[in-house]
Structures are given as C-alpha cells and as structure tokens.
Amino acid sequence: MDINLHVYLERHPEIKCNLLFRNYLRKNPDIRDAYAELKHQLIQDPSMMIRNQEALGFPQYTIEKSAFVEKILDDIGYDLP
C-alpha cells in the first residue's frame, strides 16, 4: 500500500489547514466523494506524477487538485497563506 505522510514542525500553520480540510470532508460525504473521484480520475493519467518545474516542482496531480482544495478552504473561511 502507498501512503502519503505529511510531517510538520510543531505549531506549523499547515497543520491547522490539513485538519480543517480533513474535518470538512468528514462532515460532508458528498464533497469527500467528489474529491475522491477527482483524485481517482487524475491518477489514471501517468503524466500527473511528473513534476512541473514551473510550479515549484510539484507533481501535476497536486496542481490539478489544488483548485478543489482551495475552494473548500475558502468555503470554511481558512485564510490561505
């Protein structure tokens, strides 16, 4: 099984962001399922794992799902850094 582990220094602002996002998905199963479907669709394309050098080296997969994530964070009132 593949896993994706996020590790941050204590009190790093990304911790709050990730927990808010997780909690929102837990409370909104329709949104959670839509996010899962988006991720499933993206992963079907092997080119999604290629790192985009114009986007700080993030995989295209991360870039493609970022609008969905940012919309949720905006909806819950998280001020993006």
Side-chain angles (χ1 to χ4, degrees), residues 51-62:
R51 295 192 176 276
N52 183 325
Q53 294 309 312
E54 285 109 38
L56 302 174
F58 285 103
Q60 193 62 32
Y61 168 83
T62 302

Side-chain angles (χ1 to χ4, degrees), residues 31-50:
I31 303 295
R32 178 202 60 217
D33 294 347
Y35 183 55
E37 178 60 27
L38 171 63
K39 291 170 48 171
H40 179 74
Q41 288 174 0
L42 292 173
I43 205 71
Q44 299 306 308
D45 180 354
S47 71
M48 287 293 133
M49 290 300 121
I50 297 172

Side-chain angles (χ1 to χ4, degrees), residues 6-22 58 69 73 78-81:
H6 296 260
V7 178
Y8 300 104
L9 293 174
E10 190 174 4
R11 292 193 269 307
H12 191 283
E14 285 291 319
I15 296 169
K16 180 180 179 183
C17 176
N18 280 288
L19 292 175
L20 287 169
F21 184 72
R22 179 204 64 190
F58 285 103
V69 172
L73 292 174
Y78 182 77
D79 190 20
L80 295 169

